[in-house]
Amino acid sequence: MADRAQIAVLISGSGSNLQAILDACTCKSIDADLCVVMSNRQDAFGLERAKKASVPTLVLDYSLYESREEYDSALIAALSEYQPDLVVLAGFMRILTPIFTDAFAGKLINIHPSLLPKYPGLHTHKRALEAGDSYQGATVHFVTHELDGGPPILQGRIKIADTDTADSLASRILTEVEHKIYPLAVQWLVQKRVEMRDDGAWMDGELLSGTGFQYIETETNK
Ligand code: GAR
């Protein structure tokens, strides 16, 4: 068995969150290694990032499967070969069935670009702007059967500027929030400081609120 925890990352696109996690593993702010990066798309740029870091890659094309359940079963079989301690969804744009979420319950996390429970689903930044919100952010949460509805672990926010558009918010939230909170939350799971129980996410023996731990940048977690 590997000494360091093994992480599988699932992507569909650019993989900038994957890169933040890879960098954190390299500089040891995450005490783990990536065992595989899996994509549902052959053209996902994140696959190049994984190859550059010498992490094995895997592509599972949905069109080769009859149903979501069949696809998810194949995905479980493929990932199980790598025996991941943690499965990290980083911009993985496919809805997973209970077959998959149950197989990795408690060790499956996602990052969602909104202040959950606000705005599950798509177009989160546009929806925050249309609602006239003052803040927008991102949330790392455990994945359960409910889409973007599992217990939040860690949430970070920025103030929306008058000049912000959905695109500027997406890019600011990626760099100012997501790339900071995702590696930190992954490390908490690796350290077993955070766990999922029936009633929610627990950290250091305390039940976290329905929005998770609130991230505030300090000198030590910058
Ligand atoms: C990120 O903003 C992530 O929060 C979002 O996709 C982007 C992926 O960027 N995820 C979702 O919308 C999932 N519902 P990346 O490929 O550069 O990490």
Side-chain angles (χ1 to χ4, degrees):
M1 219 172 79
D3 311 343
R4 275 157 70 88
Q6 299 296 299
I7 302 176
V9 181
L10 274 54
I11 59 164
S12 300
S14 158
S16 69
N17 278 294
L18 160 69
Q19 189 68 57
I21 292 167
L22 273 169
D23 293 346
C25 291
T26 305
C27 77
K28 309 259 189 298
S29 51
I30 294 177
D31 300 316
D33 292 318
L34 266 58
C35 53
V36 64
V37 169
M38 179 271 160
S39 172
N40 60 325
R41 300 177 54 121
Q42 186 75 57
D43 62 353
F45 180 67
L47 291 169
E48 301 308 315
R49 300 180 190 270
K51 284 176 195 157
K52 203 167 166 199
S54 304
V55 175
T57 58
L58 186 69
V59 177
L60 227 57
D61 179 355
Y62 178 61
S63 66
L64 303 177
Y65 296 86
E66 298 272 311
S67 66
R68 281 189 186 277
E69 286 74 14
E70 249 185 58
Y71 181 85
D72 284 4
S73 300
L75 190 52
I76 293 168
L79 289 177
S80 298
E81 299 271 310
Y82 296 90
Q83 302 195 311
D85 299 294
L86 187 61
V87 178
V88 171
L89 307 181
F92 185 64
M93 302 307 277
R94 276 192 58 80
I95 294 175
L96 293 161
T97 65
I99 292 179
F100 190 89
T101 57
D102 285 347
F104 294 106
K107 51 184 192 175
L108 177 60
I109 60 173
N110 179 44
I111 191 159
H112 181 74
S114 81
L115 298 170
L116 288 173
K118 273 185 157 185
Y119 314 130
L122 297 174
H123 311 302
T124 54
H125 303 315
K126 181 166 176 273
R127 286 153 74 196
L129 286 171
E130 282 170 0
D133 291 356
S134 303
Y135 291 90
Q136 172 67 327
T139 309
V140 179
H141 64 95
F142 282 109
V143 178
T144 58
H145 293 191
E146 197 188 334
L147 179 69
D148 302 324
I153 298 167
L154 179 59
Q155 185 168 85
R157 65 185 62 210
I158 56 171
K159 192 155 178 37
I160 298 179
D162 292 343
T163 49
D164 266 321
T165 60
D167 284 348
S168 71
L169 268 183
S171 126
R172 291 207 302 127
I173 287 166
L174 266 173
T175 54
E176 293 173 37
V177 180
E178 297 191 40
H179 299 166
K180 295 176 180 171
I181 67 171
Y182 217 2
L184 184 59
V186 166
Q187 171 68 348
W188 288 351
L189 274 122
V190 167
Q191 291 174 315
K192 301 195 189 304
R193 289 184 65 187
V194 170
E195 62 173 343
M196 186 172 80
R197 298 185 198 162
D198 290 342
D199 49 357
W202 286 68
M203 182 169 172
D204 298 336
E206 287 191 22
L207 180 62
L208 289 169
S209 80
T211 51
F213 193 94
Q214 296 301 302
Y215 177 80
I216 297 166
E217 191 162 84
T218 62
E219 279 309 312
T220 46
N221 65 20
K222 228 178 217 174

